[in-house]
Every structure is written in structure tokens, then in C-alpha cells.
Amino acid sequence: TKKRYNCFTATDLDFLLRSHGINTLIITGVNTNSCVLSTVTAACSLDYAVLVPSDCVDTMDAPALHDAALLCIRTAFGFVMTSDEVMALAELTT
């Protein structure tokens, strides 16, 4: 169960993902500027490739914070694309 903003903190998530050979994550959720961003930065630090479908994340705070978080992710921590683009990419790699 998730206990903090970052889905990896105080959970077995990293262990479970690695035990299944997973190295790429598609991260979705609410509060792009806190929970999503925190999880993305942790995943990047743990050497996962990170994809964030921009139409599958949002924030309850302010649109400007949502946009700023996506810019941070795009600039340094992962790839931001639409869910259609993620699905098309998944079809290419399977």
C-alpha cells in the first residue's frame, strides 16, 4: 500500500518490479505536481525508464502546477506523451 507521495517509499514496489524483470514504467495518477512527480523522480533515480501519459495525470491544485510538473518530468526524468502514443509505442515493442 502507498504510504507517501512517492510510491516506492516504505513499499516493496521496487523489489516486485525487479523480480518480474520490469524496467520501464508507465506512471499515471492524481496530483501531477506532488504524487506523480515524486514517484517519477524516484523511479528515474532507481534507473527505470519512465513514461507519463499526459492525459492520464492531473492535479487538484492548479493547472499551472500540473503543467510545471510535466515540464520537469519531460526535461529531466522521463518521457511525456499521450496515452495513444504510449499504446502505439507498446505495440511497436511487443
Side-chain angles (χ1 to χ4, degrees):
T1 355
K2 183 174 175 260
K3 297 170 179 42
R4 299 285 186 255
Y5 290 137
N6 166 355
C7 288
F8 290 95
T9 300
T11 71
D12 291 332
L13 182 58
D14 183 45
F15 171 77
L16 291 171
L17 293 170
R18 291 188 193 283
S19 68
H20 290 285
I22 295 170
N23 59 15
T24 301
L25 305 179
I26 301 169
I27 297 179
T28 65
V30 180
N31 290 330
T32 315
N33 58 300
S34 56
C35 297
V36 173
L37 181 59
S38 181
T39 298
V40 166
T41 58
C44 180
S45 295
L46 291 168
D47 294 324
Y48 289 98
V50 177
L51 306 174
V52 177
S54 57
D55 52 327
C56 296
V57 294
D58 207 348
T59 187
M60 296 183 294
D61 300 323
L65 295 175
H66 168 78
D67 294 339
L70 290 178
L71 180 60
C72 286
I73 293 166
R74 182 181 293 113
T75 302
F77 302 109
F79 299 94
V80 176
M81 54 190 68
T82 67
S83 58
D84 287 340
E85 291 170 325
V86 170
M87 294 305 294
L89 184 61
E91 288 176 10
L92 289 175
T93 59
T94 56

